[in-house]
Amino acid sequence: MRKIIAALALPLLILAQPARAQSILRDAETEALFADMTKPLIIAAGLNPRDVHVVLVNDPSINAFVAGGQTVYIHSGTIQSADTANEIQGVIAHEIGHIAGGHVPLGDRAYQPALGIQIVSLVLGIAAAAAGSAEGAAGILAAGQQAALGNYLAFSREQEASTDAAGAKYLNASGITGRGYLSFFGKLQRLEARYNITRAVTFALDHPVSGDRIANLTETLRSSPAWDRPPDPALQERFRRVKAKLAGFVDEPKQTLNAYPASDQSVYAHYARAYAYHKSGYPEKANAEADALIAVAPHDPYFLEIKGQILLESGEPAAALIPLREATEITNYQPLIATTFGHALIATEDKTNIAEAEKVLRQAVARDYENPFAWFQLGTVYELKGDRARSLLATAERASLTGDARTAAFSARAAMIGLTQNSVDWIRAQDIALTAQNALDDSRKGGRR
């Protein structure tokens, strides 16, 4: 049974963890799907698609949130719980409403920084409410800062209601049916019923109950010409593929193989089993599933990517070069795929591949700066070339992205010694050193309080 947030057993106010504390899942196919399915919604909200990103968080709970900036974080459990791409579009439309409405900064002022306004966060008093005790929930609320928390929760509920309406507006303006929006709220309503979450405990929630949300949105969505427009079948096909590969990656292999038995010869089943077998240490079986995918679509870059990844991680980097090179070229050097290709080039231990690895990895970090693994691989290339200063700079870049301020500061200062003063790389190393040192100093000050 999927959990609804981690708060069900805790009589505490649950705040979203800062994004860097989360386990982020990155996948080229998934990110391409997110970009295509959200672009019309972002435009309808008056935002720039290049500035708004959807990030997948490895968490089985049903949740989505924004935590500052223009990034939507969506839990893997939300993807797995959805039946259609259209349902996910509804979830993301809601979160875009928070971004367009500036709700995270407002929420910061109402409570504290790093607050993620969440679509299904069940908060203070929920354990007592789930047991059917509105009085118990009220007792918990009464302890401590009852007035402050009550004001905050009311403030949040008001934001959630306005953002629900904004999400509906963006769906209608984009010509995207709101059926998925309502059906996903219907899923949440059934989960609330399971835990006896009713209007009687609304005061303990930071969002309206799902039944009220459905009632408030139905007329707006049904009256739109978009209501009867069929969802995009191409997006739905891509969603089913992503959902299957996600199951293969995050679920226990036994669970995946039960859900996608060998008798199922669909593309989705081959995809899920390829990841499950690879994850559980059966490279031959994983390879066979990848071959089955490629037999269906020989030049699908994502099928080629998984084929190359299986070969690479099974100790056959030279064999991995063929599918990974083709996948990289077909996607015009998509950074995540290019990084895996660069890794394979290095792993061959063939010196003639180093120049190509450097070219590929430099393009990867130029197009996707926040990719620690790409920086690690690029640092390895520089080390193999004997360019110690740039190897240290790449280490500093990776450390700054992963929050390792100590390593970032040390490596950046060491890199500056070997770089030409006032060159682009030297200035970048100086910037990292100063930023990392400031973070270290702030940490020490915080520890002394």
Side-chain angles (χ1 to χ4, degrees), residues 157-212:
R157 288 194 298 273
E158 183 179 344
Q159 281 194 342
E160 291 295 328
S162 67
T163 306
D164 286 346
K169 175 184 175 182
Y170 304 150
L171 287 164
N172 290 345
S174 304
I176 298 172
T177 179
R179 290 177 184 270
Y181 200 21
L182 292 187
S183 67
F184 199 81
F185 275 130
K187 286 181 168 66
L188 303 184
Q189 185 179 30
R190 289 189 289 275
L191 286 170
E192 289 172 355
R194 184 183 304 173
Y195 293 102
N196 198 28
I197 308 303
T198 67
R199 285 191 183 91
V201 295
T202 298
F203 63 87
L205 304 175
D206 69 349
H207 65 279
V209 292
S210 296
D212 287 348

Side-chain angles (χ1 to χ4, degrees), residues 370-437:
E370 294 191 1
N371 185 340
F373 187 64
W375 283 111
F376 175 81
Q377 296 300 325
L378 185 57
T380 301
V381 166
Y382 287 136
E383 190 69 28
L384 291 170
K385 290 180 62 178
D387 190 342
R388 180 64 175 162
R390 285 179 176 79
S391 177
L392 285 164
L393 178 55
T395 299
E397 296 278 14
R398 175 178 59 83
S400 67
L401 289 172
T402 57
D404 184 354
R406 188 177 301 280
T407 298
F410 173 83
S411 299
R413 285 194 292 264
M416 289 172 66
I417 296 171
L419 296 168
T420 301
Q421 189 169 359
N422 294 322
S423 65
V424 171
D425 286 341
W426 186 90
I427 292 171
R428 177 58 188 159
Q430 183 183 56
D431 288 345
I432 293 174
L434 290 172
T435 301
Q437 189 59 54

Side-chain angles (χ1 to χ4, degrees), residues 210-260:
S210 296
D212 287 348
R213 302 172 94 166
I214 292 170
N216 292 335
L217 292 171
T218 297
E219 178 59 29
T220 299
L221 293 170
R222 282 182 172 273
S223 63
S224 169
W227 176 256
D228 289 321
R229 184 171 296 172
D232 186 336
L235 284 182
Q236 179 61 16
E237 171 66 16
R238 292 167 65 188
F239 173 74
R240 291 186 67 185
R241 284 175 45 160
V242 163
K243 185 175 177 178
K245 73 191 294 187
L246 179 62
F249 185 80
V250 303
D251 290 342
E252 289 299 320
K254 183 177 180 180
Q255 180 181 348
T256 301
L257 297 175
N258 284 336
Y260 298 92

Side-chain angles (χ1 to χ4, degrees), residues 73-415:
Y73 297 91
I74 186 165
H75 286 193
S76 56
T78 306
I79 303 297
Q80 292 181 295
S81 297
D83 294 314
T84 66
N86 188 228
E87 289 185 341
I88 297 301
Q89 285 178 307
V91 171
I92 294 174
H94 173 97
E95 297 304 327
I96 291 172
H98 282 304
I99 294 173
H103 289 174
V104 173
L106 290 172
D108 290 350
R109 288 197 294 272
Y111 196 74
Q112 66 179 50
L115 172 66
I117 307 269
Q118 302 173 352
I119 198 169
V120 206
S121 60
L122 306 181
V123 290
L124 189 71
I126 208 64
S133 173
E135 293 81 8
I140 294 170
L141 265 177
Q145 300 174 329
Q146 177 180 355
L149 285 173
N151 287 340
Y152 168 72
L153 293 172
F155 173 81
S156 182
R157 288 194 298 273
E158 183 179 344
Q159 281 194 342
E160 291 295 328
S162 67
T163 306
D164 286 346
K169 175 184 175 182
Y170 304 150
L171 287 164
N172 290 345
S174 304
I176 298 172
T177 179
R179 290 177 184 270
Y181 200 21
L182 292 187
S183 67
F184 199 81
F185 275 130
K187 286 181 168 66
L188 303 184
Q189 185 179 30
R190 289 189 289 275
L191 286 170
E192 289 172 355
R194 184 183 304 173
Y195 293 102
N196 198 28
I197 308 303
T198 67
R199 285 191 183 91
V201 295
T202 298
F203 63 87
L205 304 175
D206 69 349
H207 65 279
V209 292
S210 296
D212 287 348
R213 302 172 94 166
I214 292 170
N216 292 335
L217 292 171
T218 297
E219 178 59 29
T220 299
L221 293 170
R222 282 182 172 273
S223 63
S224 169
W227 176 256
D228 289 321
R229 184 171 296 172
D232 186 336
L235 284 182
Q236 179 61 16
E237 171 66 16
R238 292 167 65 188
F239 173 74
R240 291 186 67 185
R241 284 175 45 160
V242 163
K243 185 175 177 178
K245 73 191 294 187
L246 179 62
F249 185 80
V250 303
D251 290 342
E252 289 299 320
K254 183 177 180 180
Q255 180 181 348
T256 301
L257 297 175
N258 284 336
Y260 298 92
S263 59
D264 186 345
Q265 292 296 300
S266 67
V267 165
Y268 324 111
H270 285 305
Y271 227 165
R273 290 196 299 265
Y275 278 89
Y277 283 134
H278 183 52
K279 178 180 176 180
S280 54
Y282 292 96
E284 291 183 2
K285 290 184 176 181
N287 219 358
E289 298 293 350
D291 287 341
L293 291 169
I294 292 173
V296 173
H299 303 293
D300 186 299
Y302 306 116
F303 294 167
L304 292 166
E305 179 192 21
I306 183 59
K307 171 73 173 178
Q309 184 179 349
I310 290 168
L311 290 169
L312 170 61
E313 295 176 4
S314 300
E316 300 182 61
L321 295 183
I322 295 174
L324 288 175
R325 179 178 279 112
E326 184 178 356
T328 301
E329 291 172 352
I330 290 172
T331 58
N332 192 28
Y333 285 73
Q334 199 284 337
L336 294 175
I337 297 176
T339 297
T340 305
F341 178 40
H343 180 198
L345 288 164
I346 295 168
T348 62
E349 298 184 354
D350 184 342
K351 292 182 180 179
T352 62
N353 287 331
I354 297 303
E356 185 178 11
E358 180 180 4
K359 174 187 173 184
V360 167
L361 291 166
R362 283 176 66 91
Q363 286 190 58
V365 297
R367 293 175 60 184
D368 182 8
Y369 182 82
E370 294 191 1
N371 185 340
F373 187 64
W375 283 111
F376 175 81
Q377 296 300 325
L378 185 57
T380 301
V381 166
Y382 287 136
E383 190 69 28
L384 291 170
K385 290 180 62 178
D387 190 342
R388 180 64 175 162
R390 285 179 176 79
S391 177
L392 285 164
L393 178 55
T395 299
E397 296 278 14
R398 175 178 59 83
S400 67
L401 289 172
T402 57
D404 184 354
R406 188 177 301 280
T407 298
F410 173 83
S411 299
R413 285 194 292 264

